[in-house]
Amino acid sequence: ESMEVRITTKQQTGVVIKPTTGGAQGDRVMPVLFRRTYEKMLSAWMASKRHDLGEGLLAIDPTTNLVHDVSVTDSVSGYGQNIQLYSNCNEGKIRSWLSDIKKREVNGRRVLNETQYIVVKKVAKRICLEYRALCGGMRFEDLPEPLRWSMHGGPGTGKTHVIKIIKDELFGQVLGWNIGMEFNIIAFQAVMADLLGGDTIHHALNICIFGMKKKEKGSQEMRARETMRSMLMLRWLIIDEISMVSARLLADIDYQLRNYYRHNSEFAFDKKKRLRPFAGVNILFSGDFWQLPPPEGGFLGDIPFEYIQNSRQYDPSPSIAHGQSLMWSGPETGVQGVTELETCERTDDVWLQSVQEEFREGKLSTDTHAFLHGKPTLLPGSILNGNVTCKNDWCKKRACEMFELEKNHL
């Protein structure tokens, strides 16, 4: 579609972008998602004007490193009109994909089990609501809070599989989105982030490790601008291995999103014009709180003592209490619910599943410990949870003897 974009600041300084002004192949037609072609030119222009435009553009204060608000008369890149997010899709296409993925089978096995599908459906339904509001099918005031949901489950229950389905199919194929632009997947460890093609929390959101401040001012400003630019169209943030994220780090994530995210977003503010948690970005947590907690900063799976002691006051600052409020304060400002994945999809081996559960619960049995270390066991491996799976008479007799001995010992 042909268009002419005029960006005008409060100081009446501006730039006009129109067909024939450039492009990857010099074409005369400006694509709807023109930002991908013209981003470098816009970035250079904004950088050159940064010192005399004040708050006229999204810019960084070199003293405080805070991002200023944006005031423009028209829409460019991510500034307003989020309808560009759905230029390659519509609600019917999303619902059609959702219906297909629910029934799809590979080698006689469902691609998603019942609880996995619930998570995918929640994400898809939220996307449909936002699309409907952007198209004028409903008022923004009638939209519910952005999705803040937790997908929880033990090892092998398919959390990573669900994220990949959302990333590759829903976001990638159906919507035509790019990771690091319209959505992002982040994790505390680089290894976990790499498995999903995502980024680490600290790098993606420009959070200093261990609270250390960067020494070189120029590189810090450049990195902050890169982070700011990557969030112009951000609508979804998937945080993997949430058990490793401390309450303080979660508060840092919220603080950075509030700081960098464009403030004229249709989704950033609630009905009372208050800036929403995570600046209105949809959040999907994934992980298992039965695993080891972070070494410091407050465990999100604990009782939120700091939050309770502060009389449940919602204070958006990078503190343990604020991080706990983002998890526990209720649907208006915290996590709205959880979907528990219970079926182990990784293996059908009942013995291996029982070993995984023992590790998860921190109750490794004497026999399992002995078996894993190559030492003699008191019971045959066919005995699981008191049941003799092999039906062998000797195994049954041995199991009865050991259970009776254990009962008398107790």
Side-chain angles (χ1 to χ4, degrees):
E1 300 296 336
S2 299
M3 65 171 68
E4 179 174 299
V5 178
R6 296 177 180 271
I7 311 171
T8 307
T9 70
K10 290 179 179 178
Q11 292 83 359
Q12 299 306 311
T13 303
V15 64
V16 177
I17 302 175
K18 58 184 178 180
T20 74
T21 59
Q25 300 178 11
D27 52 13
R28 296 180 61 86
V29 179
M30 179 78 77
V32 176
L33 283 174
F34 67 92
R35 134 176 92 84
R36 295 175 185 174
T37 302
Y38 292 86
E39 185 176 1
K40 291 184 178 180
M41 189 191 77
L42 281 174
S43 178
W45 179 81
M46 290 167 66
S48 67
K49 295 289 184 179
R50 180 164 54 88
H51 294 291
D52 58 297
L53 287 178
E55 294 186 353
L57 280 176
L58 190 63
I60 302 169
D61 186 329
T63 304
T64 63
N65 199 35
L66 295 176
V67 179
H68 289 290
D69 201 355
V70 176
S71 296
V72 295
T73 57
D74 290 294
S75 177
V76 56
S77 184
Y79 305 103
Q81 297 192 9
N82 273 302
I83 190 61
Q84 294 179 9
L85 288 164
Y86 303 99
S87 61
N88 298 322
C89 190
N90 54 57
E91 188 172 347
K93 188 176 179 181
I94 297 170
R95 292 188 179 279
S96 176
W97 172 83
L98 192 61
S99 176
D100 170 72
I101 197 71
K102 181 180 181 180
K103 303 174 183 177
R104 192 190 309 168
E105 295 184 358
V106 176
N107 297 326
R109 190 170 185 173
R110 287 282 177 89
V111 172
L112 294 172
N113 63 36
E114 185 176 349
T115 50
Q116 290 172 338
Y117 174 74
I118 289 173
V119 178
V120 174
K121 184 179 179 181
K122 278 192 172 291
V123 174
K125 286 185 69 176
R126 175 63 195 184
I127 291 173
C128 288
L129 285 173
E130 292 190 0
Y131 174 80
R132 200 178 304 164
L134 289 167
C135 290
M138 65 182 298
R139 299 187 308 166
F140 276 96
E141 294 79 6
D142 296 330
L143 269 177
E145 277 290 307
L147 189 66
R148 294 184 293 273
W149 200 262
S150 179
M151 175 173 60
H152 190 267
T157 53
K159 299 183 294 295
T160 300
H161 173 66
V162 172
I163 293 175
K164 286 183 177 180
I165 289 288
I166 294 172
K167 170 199 166 192
D168 296 333
E169 295 202 26
L170 179 56
F171 289 167
Q173 298 174 17
V174 179
L175 297 172
W177 289 355
N178 296 306
I179 191 168
M181 192 175 291
E182 293 90 352
F183 75 99
N184 209 347
I185 301 172
I186 57 177
F188 182 77
Q189 291 183 313
V191 174
M192 301 309 300
D194 185 63
L195 287 174
L196 291 165
D199 201 353
T200 62
I201 294 172
H202 294 85
H203 182 265
L205 297 172
N206 194 26
I207 300 173
C208 295
I209 300 176
F210 305 124
M212 298 171 61
K213 293 185 177 180
K214 298 177 181 178
K215 296 181 180 180
E216 296 183 8
K217 186 177 180 181
S219 63
Q220 185 178 2
E221 290 183 359
M222 184 179 297
R223 179 73 188 105
R225 283 197 295 272
E226 292 174 358
T227 306
M228 171 185 65
R229 198 158 49 240
S230 70
M231 294 185 186
L232 290 176
M233 296 285 282
L234 186 68
R235 283 307 307 136
W236 287 86
L237 190 63
I238 299 175
I239 306 177
D240 194 27
E241 299 295 342
I242 187 61
S243 65
M244 302 183 71
V245 178
S246 68
R248 184 179 289 116
L249 182 55
L250 185 62
D252 279 328
I253 293 172
D254 175 63
Y255 181 79
Q256 291 297 83
L257 284 172
R258 288 166 176 265
N259 183 25
Y260 286 119
Y261 196 62
R262 55 193 171 82
H263 294 283
N264 62 333
S265 166
E266 296 90 338
F267 307 103
F269 292 87
D270 62 15
K271 296 177 182 178
K272 297 180 180 179
K273 305 302 179 183
R274 296 174 302 188
L275 188 59
R276 285 181 164 123
F278 305 106
V281 175
N282 297 290
I283 305 292
L284 177 63
F285 299 114
S286 174
D288 180 12
F289 282 121
W290 284 51
Q291 297 183 13
L292 293 175
E296 60 86 30
F299 180 39
L300 288 169
D302 276 340
I303 297 174
F305 292 110
E306 286 84 354
Y307 171 57
I308 295 172
Q309 288 171 358
N310 287 347
S311 301
R312 302 175 183 270
Q313 294 297 314
Y314 186 73
D315 181 23
S317 62
S319 64
I320 294 177
H322 176 52
Q324 291 174 339
S325 76
L326 292 168
M327 180 65 65
W328 296 101
S329 60
E332 291 299 317
T333 54
V335 174
Q336 296 146 349
V338 58
T339 300
E340 183 74 23
L341 306 186
E342 297 179 340
T343 305
C344 182
E345 300 286 354
R346 180 180 297 164
T347 178
D348 294 326
D349 189 323
V350 181
W351 177 83
L352 181 57
Q353 291 180 17
S354 69
V355 172
Q356 288 181 164
E357 282 302 309
E358 287 181 16
F359 273 109
R360 187 180 182 225
E361 296 174 6
K363 297 179 180 179
L364 199 63
S365 67
T366 303
D367 267 5
T368 300
H369 182 274
F371 179 85
L372 294 175
H373 288 79
K375 296 180 179 179
T377 61
L378 298 175
L379 291 171
S382 59
I383 299 177
L384 297 173
N385 301 321
N387 299 316
V388 183
T389 58
C390 66
K391 308 300 182 182
N392 183 282
D393 290 337
W394 184 89
C395 293
K396 291 180 180 178
K397 180 180 178 182
R398 176 66 174 175
C400 290
E401 290 174 352
M402 294 307 302
F403 290 142
E404 188 66 28
L405 183 63
E406 183 179 355
K407 181 179 177 181
N408 294 333
H409 179 72
L410 294 175

